[in-house]
Amino acid sequence: MAAMETSTAPLDEPAGLTDADGFTPLRVKDVIRETTDAVSLILDVPELIEDRFRYTAGQFVTVKTTIRGEEHRRCYSMSSSPHVGPDLRITVKRDRDGVVSNWINDTAAAGDRLLTAPPDGRFVLTTADRDVVTFAGGSGVTPVFSLVNTTLATTGRRVRMFYANRDADSVIFRDALTRLTDSHSDRLHVHHHLDTRDGVVSARHITEFLGASTVSTAEADFYICGPAPFMDTVERVLLDAGVPAQRVHLERFTVTPADPAVEAESAATEEVTIVLGRTTVTQPYRAGTTLLQTARLAGLKAPSSCEVGTCGTCIGQVVEGSARLLNNDALDDDEIAEGWVVTCQALPTSHTVKVVYE
């Protein structure tokens, strides 16, 4: 397949030079083919900027690339652990409609430079001394693998892992998980669910896994990452089983489609006032655009990173008017009640809106 016309960062651009949006060109040290449709990229973080790229297991980086003249930003979790080896590694699975993920799988090579923002994310281990139960679907294993490695390397907590894939050939980190299980047989149990053998994951499969586990639901923290239907099924079973919501941790990198009713409310908005630092701008509202997009239309360099409502970089407070969130994995109910929004996922729903960036 011919390589796509693309630009990431010039190969001779100095390492550590950060652009106006906070992205730094990191050199790809190595490309590892994990499965036929997934690769890992080992990124070289120069000593000069090590502090900027320190991360916690379960976090992600945002990469920025231009493909066929269009800029794209995508979030990829670290599959490495900061406590197991020095390298920063992301793992990317091909997706049917994934422009960036497919480009990475098709063209990424050692020596390339990838524009990368510093690590972010809240899908991290709690400090409580509770056991860890994880649920991963497909490429959702990426942050989960980091969490599992870190738990085993730094704590005495037990780990139970439910890992769902289409078939045996699509299991990312299959050999690495086998090695981990062999070396931590007293603390780690991995259950592989294969759709070709077991059918699509259902509530029954999750309930049976919990029932067979030696970890009590009252004595564990739960981490879920994978396709939206998979995550919804697992979350529903856990909550129905009485697991407190604050011990159910989810990582989503897909956005829920906009509710037509919310879009209709948004169509009534006439103008948005944005306060960023010492700058205040009032911008005529363009129907269907988020508060972040409106800030950009006003010529402001508003903070942003993942742009799917997960990292919280673009948080602002609506101090006049109202807005609705399309997706939110960064704010709790109390913060939302106080008017805080992730502006990348916020549609205004009143005639005028005023938002103040944090």
Side-chain angles (χ1 to χ4, degrees), residues 177-312:
L177 283 169
T178 298
R179 291 192 296 270
L180 274 178
T181 303
D182 290 343
S183 57
H184 298 278
S185 58
D186 57 332
R187 295 173 53 206
L188 173 64
H189 170 75
V190 179
H191 172 76
H192 287 284
H193 177 103
L194 303 179
D195 291 351
T196 54
R197 180 190 65 200
D198 308 312
V200 176
V201 174
S202 67
R204 175 180 62 82
H205 293 116
I206 304 303
T207 301
E208 290 176 352
F209 171 76
L210 292 174
S213 174
T214 58
V215 175
S216 167
T217 55
E219 301 170 350
D221 285 307
F222 298 83
Y223 297 85
I224 312 168
C225 189
F230 170 81
M231 295 181 65
D232 292 343
T233 297
V234 177
E235 182 183 23
R236 185 172 64 253
V237 171
L238 292 177
L239 296 179
D240 288 347
V243 177
Q246 63 267 29
R247 287 200 277 109
V248 179
H249 310 276
L250 302 100
E251 184 74 310
R252 299 183 192 273
F253 288 128
T254 56
V255 179
T256 303
D259 185 334
V262 177
E263 291 189 327
E265 290 181 78
S266 175
T269 302
E270 296 176 356
E271 64 181 27
V272 176
T273 298
I274 302 153
V275 181
L276 178 60
R278 298 182 179 180
T279 302
T280 300
V281 176
T282 298
Q283 171 75 15
Y285 181 65
R286 181 185 296 176
T289 57
T290 64
L291 291 178
L292 175 61
Q293 291 167 331
T294 303
R296 289 174 175 163
L297 289 171
L300 298 176
K301 287 189 174 295
S304 65
S305 181
C306 74
E307 303 200 14
V308 293
T310 295
C311 71

Side-chain angles (χ1 to χ4, degrees), residues 123-136:
F123 189 67
V124 298
L125 292 170
T126 66
T127 57
D129 189 23
R130 288 189 288 262
D131 289 331
V132 172
V133 181
T134 66
F135 298 87

Side-chain angles (χ1 to χ4, degrees), residues 8-9 13-26 43 45 49 51-54 60-65 71-74 114-120 296 301-307 311 313:
T8 50
E13 188 166 349
L17 181 62
T18 301
D19 69 13
D21 292 331
F23 287 82
T24 302
L26 298 183
L43 301 180
V45 179
I49 56 172
D51 287 346
R52 194 186 311 163
F53 282 88
R54 293 192 190 282
F60 62 85
V61 292
T62 305
V63 303
K64 179 172 67 172
T65 185
E71 181 181 297
H72 301 270
R73 300 186 185 196
R74 296 291 187 271
L114 193 64
L115 286 167
T116 310
D120 211 330
R296 289 174 175 163
K301 287 189 174 295
S304 65
S305 181
C306 74
E307 303 200 14
C311 71
T313 301

